[in-house]
Amino acid sequence: MSNIEKIRTRRSVRSFDCTPLSPDDRERIIDYANKVRNPYGQNIEWRMLDAKTQGLSSAVIVGTDLFIAGKMRRQSHAEEAFGYSFEKIVLYA
């Protein structure tokens, strides 16, 4: 199989143990997220989204109904700013 075929057929699934976050943990994560600064100085608005309440689903995230999402302006280096900030939040969580 060529590398291109491997890339096209690769599948990565994240599984969680279904233990819900406490309200305190949710608040700590969002508080931290709102303090994260990225090298591009771009602002990102972070929220926790409940899959059941908001009709969300994911083919690659299994075992949770809670997601963190960010919203920002479309501008130069937005993707890098978002990725940098999101990675810091994931490591914190």
Side-chain angles (χ1 to χ4, degrees):
M1 179 181 288
S2 75
N3 287 336
I4 297 298
E5 289 170 326
K6 289 177 187 176
I7 290 168
R8 287 188 177 137
T9 59
R10 179 181 179 274
R11 180 172 159 91
S12 177
V13 175
R14 304 292 182 252
S15 297
F16 299 92
D17 67 4
C18 300
T19 303
L21 284 178
S22 71
D24 286 343
D25 287 339
R26 288 182 187 205
E27 186 175 333
R28 278 193 285 272
I29 291 169
I30 289 297
D31 285 346
Y32 177 82
N34 288 323
K35 293 175 186 168
V36 169
R37 299 294 166 246
N38 59 72
Y40 302 95
Q42 298 183 16
N43 294 321
I44 305 171
E45 180 184 332
W46 297 99
R47 292 187 182 163
M48 292 276 186
L49 303 177
D50 182 275
K52 291 178 183 174
T53 304
Q54 295 167 307
L56 304 172
S57 65
S58 173
V60 296
I61 301 172
V62 178
T64 187
D65 291 322
L66 186 67
F67 299 91
I68 187 164
K71 179 175 85 170
M72 64 188 302
R73 286 180 185 229
R74 187 179 306 258
Q75 55 192 320
S76 180
H77 298 289
E79 293 87 354
E80 294 95 326
F82 187 92
Y84 177 92
S85 298
F86 190 71
E87 182 67 16
K88 289 192 80 141
I89 296 164
V90 167
L91 292 173
Y92 175 80

